[in-house]
Amino acid sequence: MTGVAGRRLLLLLAAAACGWSSTEVVVDFENAVPLLADRKANRVPRWEEKGVVFALAREPQLTKGKGMLMFFTHLSTGHKGIVCAMATEPIPVRATFPKPVSSVTISFWGSTGTSAVLEAFDAEGKPVDRASVEAVPGRKAPGDPVPTFTLTVKADRIAYIHFYGPREGEYLAADEVRFTSADNDGNLSK
């Protein structure tokens, strides 16, 4: 097929491909309020943004306290991150997506030397991918800002993710969550 008919077919196929392509969604927590009017940390049992629900992966086991999340501000950028508020019992944070996704990339910052793990699960709760670092990057000099880094997981039908790694008294803040959603027909782009 050549000429005008061939170009029309290519344009039609390109338009269809654009309609089937995946869409990247960004959750950045910028609407969160880290401190309340009394200057106490804003602790919440769950946070929902752009259809993604953030909560602890489980209730605390070492305390009778209610499992909470809180927001933490990156001092050099002013960006807000979400963390587990349970300082004496580190619990993974779970993010559940409104529809299955094919990839999740999170920009993090955390306590120097803490590990960081990002795990993806399908709707049945089976792990489908995992990314990690043994130690988050640290400052090169005392006046430097706390560095950020990213972890990415990919799989056909990610229903939710967990992120974790800090030991007691440490933190790991998710600054930005980017995920690739399903296309209009409910099929995932590869």
Side-chain angles (χ1 to χ4, degrees):
M1 193 179 291
T2 60
V4 174
R7 279 186 240 130
R8 284 184 183 159
L9 179 60
L10 284 175
L11 286 173
L12 180 63
L13 289 173
C18 287
W20 293 325
S21 67
S22 56
T23 303
E24 184 177 68
V25 178
V26 179
V27 174
D28 62 12
F29 312 109
E30 291 308 307
N31 291 326
V33 177
L35 294 175
L36 300 172
D38 61 3
R39 306 290 295 157
K40 290 185 180 176
N42 184 10
R43 296 170 188 250
V44 296
R46 69 189 291 273
W47 177 261
E48 185 170 349
E49 188 171 329
K50 297 187 180 176
V52 182
V53 176
F54 295 85
L56 293 184
R58 62 172 174 78
E59 285 299 316
Q61 297 170 342
L62 303 177
T63 180
K64 293 180 183 178
K66 176 94 174 118
M68 300 292 231
L69 300 168
M70 64 185 266
F71 299 97
F72 197 65
T73 303
H74 190 269
L75 295 178
S76 64
T77 65
H79 290 194
K80 296 170 189 161
I82 195 167
V83 298
C84 172
M86 311 305 291
T88 58
E89 184 178 353
I91 300 171
V93 174
R94 175 182 286 184
T96 304
F97 302 98
K99 291 193 257 182
V101 301
S102 59
S103 77
V104 180
T105 298
I106 301 183
S107 175
F108 291 105
W109 77 85
S111 298
T112 301
T114 191
S115 64
V117 180
L118 174 61
E119 285 186 305
F121 298 85
D122 65 14
E124 289 77 41
K126 292 186 287 192
V128 292
D129 198 14
R130 182 178 195 271
S132 65
V133 294
E134 285 186 36
V136 304
R139 301 175 192 190
K140 292 186 169 75
D144 289 350
V146 173
T148 59
F149 64 98
T150 60
L151 293 176
T152 300
V153 288
K154 295 181 179 184
D156 285 338
R157 300 189 63 77
I158 299 170
Y160 63 93
I161 55 97
H162 287 174
F163 64 87
Y164 59 93
R167 298 167 294 239
E168 184 177 322
E170 296 177 332
Y171 71 93
L172 178 65
D175 173 46
E176 186 176 81
V177 178
R178 294 178 173 271
F179 61 95
T180 305
S181 63
D183 67 23
N184 296 337
D185 296 325
N187 298 317
L188 292 172
S189 300
K190 302 280 183 194

